Amino acid sequence: MITLGLSPRGTLALMRMAKAYAFMEGRDFVVPKDVQAVFGDVAGHRMVLDSKARYEDKSPRQILEQILLQVPVPRVDG
């Protein structure tokens, strides 16, 4: 459903925003929930949807939420 996604600059923006979010939460390190919290705002306006997504009246935010639900969160076992 995505014709064009995040560019390398977009991924750098995602990293910076996740760092800023972690800082606002009182941490000096980023955890997966920080990335998840800012992912929709950073990536949503950079996406170009294909005709199927437009036909199904899907918003970039809805598609990004589906992606977040399908991608496993990294864990450290220990």
Side-chain angles (χ1 to χ4, degrees), residues 4-17 42-43 46:
L4 185 64
L6 278 179
S7 66
R9 273 190 1 201
T11 57
L12 291 173
L14 178 62
M15 177 189 66
R16 285 189 218 105
M17 289 299 295
V42 173
R46 291 178 163 89

Side-chain angles (χ1 to χ4, degrees), residues 5-7 12-13 15 17 23 25-27 36 39 44 49 62 72:
L6 278 179
S7 66
L12 291 173
M15 177 189 66
M17 289 299 295
F23 179 77
E25 294 291 310
R27 285 181 273 103
Q36 291 173 328
F39 184 64
L49 303 181
Q62 291 170 322

Side-chain angles (χ1 to χ4, degrees), residues 14-76:
L14 178 62
M15 177 189 66
R16 285 189 218 105
M17 289 299 295
K19 286 181 176 183
Y21 187 87
F23 179 77
M24 290 175 21
E25 294 291 310
R27 285 181 273 103
D28 61 353
F29 56 91
V30 174
V31 296
K33 78 171 188 175
D34 300 328
V35 177
Q36 291 173 328
V38 299
F39 184 64
D41 294 324
V42 173
H45 72 280
R46 291 178 163 89
M47 292 175 47
V48 176
L49 303 181
D50 68 5
S51 58
K52 180 180 178 186
R54 290 191 301 263
Y55 176 75
E56 293 181 10
D57 203 25
K58 297 273 186 175
S59 70
R61 173 79 62 173
Q62 291 170 322
I63 294 171
L64 292 172
E65 287 174 5
Q66 289 176 343
I67 291 170
L68 284 177
L69 291 173
Q70 293 176 4
V71 175
V73 177
R75 293 182 16 183
V76 176

